[in-house]
Amino acid sequence: MNAAPEPEILAAFEAAKGFMPVHEGLALYAAATEAGRLGLPLLEVGTYCGRSTVLLADAARRAGVTALTVDHHRGSEEQQPGWDYHDPSLVDPEVGRMDTLPAFRRTLHAAGLEDHVVALVGRSPQIAALWGTPLGLVFVDGGHTDEHAGADYEGWAPHVAEGGLLLIHDVFPQKLDEFTGQAPYRVYLRALESGRFTEVSATDTLRVLRRTGTAVPPRG
C-alpha cells in the first residue's frame, strides 16, 4: 500500500486551518496507513479544524476502518482571546466562545471524507472513561498543559492494541518560548518509561511509538 496521500488529499490538508506542517503530516499519514492494517479504528485527540483529520481519515478509508476524532471544539488554552494562536473568525458571535466544529465540518466536506470520520464532541477524559474498543492508533494532539496532555495519555494509551501506534505531537525536548510548552514531551517520556511503548520514529515534533508491552502506564 502506498503510504503517501493523493495530491487532492494533501491539498485539502494544506487548505485547512491548523498548525501541522506538511512533513509532519506525511509522517502521520504513513503511521496511520501502517496502523490501519490492524483493522482497528484510528483515533486522534484534538480535532481543531480538521487539518490532521483529513490525513487520518483518508488513511482509514483506504484501510477500510474508521477514523475517530475527539474535541470539545472550544479551543485549547493558547487559542483563547489574547493569545498568539487565537483566530477571531472561529468565535461564535452568539455565545462569544470559540467554536471550531463548523470549520471542521467544512474541512471534511471539502475533502470528501465525511463518511469516514466519527466526530466525538466532548471532553477527552469523559469520552475516554466510556471507551471500550481497542484502537490501532491514538494520536495525542490536544491541550498542551500537563493536566490536559497527561489526561489524554492516561485516558487513551491503554486502548492502543498490541502492535498499535501511539503518536504524540508538539514534543519539544527544549523549551523554545512561552507558547511551546513541554507537557507533550513529558507525556512522551512517560510512555517510554511505562515499559508499554517503544519509539519507532521522530519527525520534527512528532513522535511515533509502538505498543509492545503490557505494563500499566504510571499516573501522576
Side-chain angles (χ1 to χ4, degrees):
M1 180 183 292
N2 184 7
E6 296 295 333
E8 62 270 20
I9 295 297
L10 189 59
F13 164 80
E14 293 188 271
K17 287 180 181 288
F19 310 103
M20 175 173 272
V22 171
H23 66 292
E24 290 183 342
L26 294 175
L28 168 64
Y29 192 86
T33 298
E34 177 188 337
R37 295 174 186 149
L38 294 176
L40 298 170
L42 313 178
L43 181 142
E44 72 172 346
V45 182
T47 312
Y48 191 52
C49 297
R51 184 177 173 93
S52 58
T53 317
V54 167
L55 299 179
L56 198 68
D58 189 63
R61 176 189 64 81
R62 294 174 70 179
V65 300
T66 300
L68 305 147
T69 185
V70 179
D71 203 310
H72 49 68
H73 288 281
R74 293 301 188 191
S76 56
E77 298 81 6
E78 69 275 10
Q79 293 160 5
Q80 302 307 314
W83 289 82
D84 278 11
Y85 292 101
H86 178 63
D87 184 343
S89 71
L90 297 174
V91 174
D92 182 335
E94 289 194 21
V95 301
R97 296 186 66 190
M98 292 279 292
D99 186 0
T100 57
L101 185 56
F104 160 69
R105 297 200 66 169
R106 288 192 293 269
T107 295
L108 283 190
H109 176 75
L113 291 167
E114 288 182 290
D115 292 341
H116 303 282
V117 179
V118 174
L120 302 167
V121 181
R123 300 282 171 180
S124 172
Q126 291 176 302
I127 297 172
L130 300 173
W131 198 258
T133 301
L135 299 165
L137 176 147
V138 167
F139 175 37
V140 177
D141 192 23
H144 286 33
T145 64
D146 283 300
E147 175 189 1
H148 292 133
D152 291 340
Y153 169 69
E154 291 170 4
W156 293 107
H159 297 294
V160 178
E162 187 77 20
L165 299 177
L166 172 68
L167 279 63
I168 306 169
H169 194 218
D170 294 325
V171 173
F172 291 95
Q174 287 83 39
K175 185 177 176 66
L176 301 180
D177 54 43
E178 64 178 306
F179 301 109
T180 55
Q182 288 183 287
Y185 175 61
R186 287 186 280 272
V187 164
Y188 158 74
L189 293 179
R190 287 180 62 187
L192 292 178
E193 292 164 0
S194 73
R196 200 174 191 190
F197 296 94
T198 56
E199 186 164 351
V200 174
S201 67
T203 303
D204 204 352
T205 73
L206 179 69
R207 299 294 185 273
V208 178
L209 297 87
R210 189 183 313 281
R211 182 182 166 189
T212 54
T214 57
V216 176
R219 293 178 175 265

